[in-house]
Amino acid sequence: MTYRVCFVCTGNICRSPMAEHVFRHHVEEAGLGGAVEVDSAGTGGWHEGDGADPRTVAVLEENGYTSAHSARPFRASWFSALDLVIALDEGHLRELRALARTPEEAGKIRLLRSYDPAAGAALDVPDPYYGGREGFEECLEMVEAASGGLLAAVRAEVEERTA
């Protein structure tokens, strides 16, 4: 049974596609590609059908990641098919919890940086959209820092299912 993870930010063109591609890379490197499906979405549909922001694409590709993407809004009906919904900041966390129809669905939502022990209390990945390239590079650093902990948690869930 496939374990499904969906990353969620505001418009699904900066942070969540970056997290999707970085985490998918880590999943593949860990040999879990056949067991874990990675996706992303936004809390709104402003950019539906658009590719990732060119700055996201550039930072991903320069660091060896894929970048193909088509933005879409998150749908509450997806909760039943997902195992983990990863919010990129507290605002997304609140919006996703408001969409959750049951305590079980709400229990699937986590903040990405909660998987980074060095993050401390600063759990938001700041939105780089209105800034320069350095914001996208900082976003990548935060996503990469949290990916190891997230991968360990997902691997444990996958192994528990197959045990």
Side-chain angles (χ1 to χ4, degrees):
M1 176 183 249
T2 304
Y3 191 91
R4 292 180 172 83
V5 180
C6 184
F7 294 92
V8 180
C9 71
T10 307
N12 191 216
I13 60 168
C14 297
R15 294 171 284 178
S16 60
M18 187 176 286
E20 172 190 350
H21 285 278
V22 169
F23 191 64
R24 183 179 295 122
H25 176 82
H26 287 286
V27 164
E28 293 291 334
E29 279 195 333
L32 295 172
V36 179
E37 182 179 295
V38 184
D39 207 346
S40 68
T43 57
W46 311 278
H47 299 285
E48 189 167 2
D50 293 348
D53 184 287
R55 296 164 294 179
T56 296
V57 172
V59 168
L60 282 169
E61 290 179 353
E62 288 167 14
N63 286 278
Y65 298 107
T66 57
S67 64
H69 179 71
S70 182
R72 64 201 183 127
F74 185 86
R75 308 267 187 241
S77 60
W78 298 356
F79 275 115
S80 61
L82 294 169
D83 297 289
L84 199 52
V85 180
I86 304 293
L88 277 287
D89 70 26
E90 290 280 349
H92 307 130
L93 183 73
R94 284 190 299 278
E95 288 187 57
L96 289 164
R97 284 184 176 158
L99 286 175
R101 298 162 295 190
T102 65
E104 291 77 22
E105 288 180 353
K108 296 178 178 185
I109 307 164
R110 301 275 188 282
L111 280 166
L112 175 62
R113 293 198 71 208
S114 68
Y115 293 95
D116 177 5
L123 298 181
D124 283 357
V125 175
D127 189 350
Y129 185 76
Y130 295 103
R133 181 183 168 86
E134 64 280 351
F136 289 82
E137 292 168 350
E138 178 186 31
C139 180
L140 178 64
E141 289 172 15
M142 291 179 173
V143 167
E144 287 178 329
S147 289
L150 177 56
L151 181 63
V154 168
R155 182 193 302 275
E157 290 288 327
V158 168
E159 288 174 356
E160 184 176 307
R161 286 183 178 186
T162 59

